[in-house]
């Protein structure tokens, strides 16, 4: 296996982390329309080269993009309904209930209640028109291109509604056990619902492809995100049950999670079924390869969630919700990534290698040549040789001030006390300030080829702007930026950010000297004592 560092990060560049849901939009949640295009333009004006998003899949209870109903589908809430108004499929006043939703944060309950009846109206008129939607190409060709998952997902969502929202493993056996004949035998109401979901995916991907083309025109690469596990209640588990450790009734034989850590004294039980790695090995890891192929066709770069789980993973027995009962088991690691590299040799991946990382996990990541992640907020309050300290950051890494699971950097600074607060103040030269800007500047100055800043940090927002609190099921994924905040950022800080890109050679110029060589020195401590989990969403 090629052991050299991936050459797509040979030039220094930067990016911003902001999920689509957080962007300005007219219908209660960020969407793929003008607000997203304006955000791409802002990134380009400030000198950034990447936009990192969270998973794009449809969400259910808890609203987490890391617990999606499908690994392949898009979130219909991200559709810009104004395009359907322009196409004559909706009247402007039919969207008024959605325009009335608050702009400061997402109210998912009200969004769900109001969105689907409006989209159903557009779908009925689409069927009556017999014409394809402008800018989305041929509907028939779209369905053929995505035949491997589209009908399965549409049927799943239709049956889920038909059975009152219950998970698939609680449906009657006739529908619980997927077969190719299910689509032809759906009840009439479910058949119409399935058509609606297929239409939603057609519109979503048509708009996404145009947004991605706009980003490419402005020189912005999109970094996607693939969760390692799939949700138990998902079209993936319903259709491809054989790749998961489920019994004949669809119940989990074992669940994913992590042992006791920084976030929870009891550990975290995520509820995701574990993989049947023996079955996956016998099939050449075909399901995983197709999942990542779809991700690479949607984004330019992919962050591979919970990289440690490809080496060793925490198994919690049966339906237990106590992670302390678990144990570590081995995953196929090298064999899996060898198959992946043969199938997708051009895939650009970032390994999310946070948490308690063993020497074996470090060796696996370096062997496959993926950059890891370093989080500046994790650099303090632990041992003096912490690998997240800016002066210990290796070249084969991507540096973040924080992630979607962290508090904002200003919120973090405001929470520090005593000796840790003094050290952080001295290290970053804060002089009593609690602004995120000195921390972001330090991230720009590291040797890491790519630095990614959460949008909340660019806006220097307090802890109230946090996106997610691991281990909690409610009240997350609601934060949204207001249009005026982005305008002020562009007006007040664009020049400073452009100067940083020039000062720290982060303009993505491939003519710069090669920064892709592996690090010459790695601190003796290869783990952090603060486990960071991006999966307890």
């Amino acid at each position: 296996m090629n052991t050299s560092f991936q050459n797509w990060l040979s030039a220094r560049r930067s990016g911003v982390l902001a999920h689509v849901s957080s962007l300005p939009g007219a219908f209660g949640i960020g969407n793929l329309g003008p607000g997203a295009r304006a955000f791409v333009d802002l990134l380009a004006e400030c000198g950034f080269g990447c936009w990192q998003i969270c998973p794009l899949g449809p969400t259910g209870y808890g609203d987490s993009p890391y617990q999606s109903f499908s690994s392949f589908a898009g979130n219909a809430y991200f559709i810009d309904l104004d395009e359907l108004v322009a196409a004559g499929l909706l009247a402007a006043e039919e969207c008024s209930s959605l325009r009335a939703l608050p702009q400061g944060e997402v109210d998912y309950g009200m969004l769900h209640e109001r969105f689907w009846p409006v989209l159903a109206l557009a779908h009925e008129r689409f069927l009556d028109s017999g014409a394809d939607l402008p800018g989305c190409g041929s509907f028939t060709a779209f369905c053929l291109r995505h035949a491997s998952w589209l009908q399965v997902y549409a049927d799943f969502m239709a049956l889920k509604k038909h059975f009152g929202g219950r998970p698939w493993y609680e449906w009657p056996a006739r529908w619980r056990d997927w077969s190719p004949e299910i689509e032809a035998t759906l009840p009439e109401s479910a058949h119409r619902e399935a058509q609606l979901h297929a239409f939603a995916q057609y519109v979503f991907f048509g708009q996404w492809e145009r947004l991605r083309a706009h980003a490419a025109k402005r020189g912005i690469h999109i970094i996607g995100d693939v969760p390692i596990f799939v949700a138990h209640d998902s079209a993936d588990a319903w259709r491809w049950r054989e790749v998961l450790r489920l019994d004949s009734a669809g119940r989990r034989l074992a669940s994913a999670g992590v042992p006791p850590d920084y976030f929870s004294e009891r550990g975290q039980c995520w509820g995701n079924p574990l993989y049947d790695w023996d079955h996956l090995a016998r099939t050449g890891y075909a399901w995983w390869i197709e999942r990542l192929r779809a991700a690479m066709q949607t984004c330019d770069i992919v962050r591979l969630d919970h990289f440690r789980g490809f080496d060793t993973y925490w198994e919690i027995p049966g339906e237990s919700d106590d992670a302390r009962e678990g144990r570590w088991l081995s995953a196929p690691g090298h064999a899996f990534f060898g198959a992946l590299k043969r199938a997708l040799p051009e895939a650009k991946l970032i390994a999310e290698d946070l948490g308690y990382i063993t020497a074996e996990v470090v060796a696996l990541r370096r062997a496959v040549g993926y950059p890891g992640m370093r989080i500046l907020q994790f650099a303090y309050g632990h041992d003096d040789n912490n690998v997240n300290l800016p002066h210990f950051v290796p070249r084969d890494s991507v540096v973040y001030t924080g992630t979607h699971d962290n508090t904002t950097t200003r919120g973090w600074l405001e929470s520090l006390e005593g000796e840790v607060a003094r050290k952080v103040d001295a290290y970053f030269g804060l002089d009593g300030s609690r602004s995120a800007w000195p921390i972001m500047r330090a991230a720009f100055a590291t040797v890491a080829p790519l630095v990614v800043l959460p949008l909340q940090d660019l806006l220097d927002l307090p802890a109230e702007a946090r996106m997610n609190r691991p281990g909690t099921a409610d009240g997350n994924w609601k934060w949204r930026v207001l249009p005026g905040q982005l305008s002020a950022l562009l007006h007040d800080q664009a020049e400073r950010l452009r100067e940083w890109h020039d000062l720290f050679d982060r303009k993505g110029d491939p003519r710069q000297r090669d920064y892709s060589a592996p690090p010459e020195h790695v601190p003796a401590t290869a783990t952090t004592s603060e486990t960071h989990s991006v999966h307890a969403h």
Side-chain angles (χ1 to χ4, degrees), residues 380 421-435 438-439 442:
Y380 293 89
R422 188 196 66 77
K423 283 186 176 180
V424 171
D425 191 286
Y427 188 95
F428 292 104
L430 299 180
D431 195 25
S433 166
R434 292 298 178 261
S435 170
I439 315 297

Side-chain angles (χ1 to χ4, degrees), residues 156-236:
F156 171 84
M157 295 301 291
L159 286 169
K160 188 170 182 61
K161 181 176 180 180
H162 183 74
F163 291 116
R166 286 152 54 195
W168 65 268
Y169 42 86
E170 294 180 6
W171 299 347
R174 174 185 176 187
W175 308 107
R176 183 188 66 213
D177 301 324
W178 178 89
S179 72
E181 292 75 34
I182 275 184
E183 196 274 331
T185 59
L186 290 177
E188 181 57 30
S189 62
H191 178 69
R192 289 196 302 272
E193 186 73 12
Q195 290 180 317
L196 169 61
H197 282 281
F199 170 72
Q201 294 306 303
Y202 164 65
V203 180
F204 171 91
F205 279 101
Q207 293 188 358
W208 174 256
E209 288 170 7
R210 278 179 278 128
L211 176 60
R212 188 180 175 194
H214 178 72
K217 186 177 180 180
R218 296 306 311 266
I220 303 297
H221 297 80
I222 296 179
I223 304 175
D225 198 337
V226 172
I228 183 173
F229 297 115
V230 300
H232 190 193
D233 187 22
S234 66
D236 307 297

Side-chain angles (χ1 to χ4, degrees), residues 189-498:
S189 62
H191 178 69
R192 289 196 302 272
E193 186 73 12
Q195 290 180 317
L196 169 61
H197 282 281
F199 170 72
Q201 294 306 303
Y202 164 65
V203 180
F204 171 91
F205 279 101
Q207 293 188 358
W208 174 256
E209 288 170 7
R210 278 179 278 128
L211 176 60
R212 188 180 175 194
H214 178 72
K217 186 177 180 180
R218 296 306 311 266
I220 303 297
H221 297 80
I222 296 179
I223 304 175
D225 198 337
V226 172
I228 183 173
F229 297 115
V230 300
H232 190 193
D233 187 22
S234 66
D236 307 297
W238 181 55
R239 165 62 181 88
W240 292 283
R241 193 185 306 180
E242 64 276 9
V243 308
L244 302 169
R245 292 172 58 189
L246 301 172
D247 66 16
S248 59
R251 292 183 296 261
R252 292 169 303 207
L253 295 172
S255 298
V258 289
D261 60 18
Y262 172 78
F263 290 110
S264 173
E265 293 180 356
R266 293 170 55 89
Q268 297 178 36
C269 184
W270 302 327
N272 306 83
L274 292 171
Y275 291 109
D276 184 340
W277 283 113
D278 290 338
H279 170 86
L280 285 164
R282 289 193 298 271
T283 57
Y285 306 102
W287 180 87
W288 251 110
I289 288 170
E290 289 310 304
R291 187 184 184 202
L292 286 170
R293 190 191 309 277
M296 296 309 307
Q297 290 170 347
T298 304
C299 299
D300 303 298
I301 305 159
V302 167
R303 169 190 177 275
L304 192 55
D305 181 49
H306 196 49
F307 182 81
R308 180 192 175 139
F310 294 99
D311 178 76
T312 50
Y313 57 92
W314 191 248
E315 178 203 64
I316 303 168
E319 298 289 328
S320 174
D321 59 358
D322 189 342
R324 294 174 297 181
E325 299 176 1
R327 60 174 180 165
W328 290 110
L329 293 177
S330 296
H334 292 277
F336 167 71
F337 286 110
L340 177 62
K341 286 206 166 193
R342 289 190 293 273
L344 301 173
E346 302 302 317
K348 301 174 181 178
L349 299 173
I350 297 170
E352 185 273 284
D353 58 343
L354 306 175
Y356 289 104
I357 301 302
T358 66
E360 290 77 13
V361 177
V362 174
L364 173 63
R365 181 181 63 76
R366 290 182 178 160
V368 298
Y370 303 150
M373 291 174 57
R374 296 292 179 266
I375 313 299
L376 296 192
Q377 286 189 31
F378 288 169
Y380 293 89
H382 309 292
D383 61 272
D384 292 332
N385 210 22
N386 191 298
V387 294
N388 294 284
L389 285 164
H391 55 272
F392 280 147
V393 166
R395 292 190 182 97
D396 60 343
S397 62
V398 180
V399 166
Y400 298 74
T401 50
T403 73
H404 58 269
D405 277 340
N406 291 95
T407 187
T408 66
T409 294
R410 173 174 281 276
W412 171 66
L413 290 170
E414 291 174 345
S415 72
L416 298 179
E417 298 177 343
E419 182 63 15
V420 173
R422 188 196 66 77
K423 283 186 176 180
V424 171
D425 191 286
Y427 188 95
F428 292 104
L430 299 180
D431 195 25
S433 166
R434 292 298 178 261
S435 170
W437 282 86
I439 315 297
M440 293 189 292
R441 190 180 192 278
F444 261 68
T446 63
V447 299
L450 175 61
V451 57
V452 178
L453 309 175
L455 178 57
Q456 292 95 321
D457 286 354
L458 278 175
L459 298 171
D460 211 5
L461 297 178
E464 288 75 17
R466 182 172 185 160
M467 193 67 164
N468 182 52
R469 292 168 176 80
T472 63
D474 301 317
N476 298 311
W477 307 105
K478 294 177 177 291
W479 180 78
R480 295 183 67 198
V481 64
L482 297 174
Q485 291 175 303
L486 291 181
S487 299
L489 175 65
L490 184 61
H491 179 270
D492 299 338
Q493 304 296 352
E495 183 176 355
R496 171 156 60 161
L497 288 167
R498 287 193 294 267

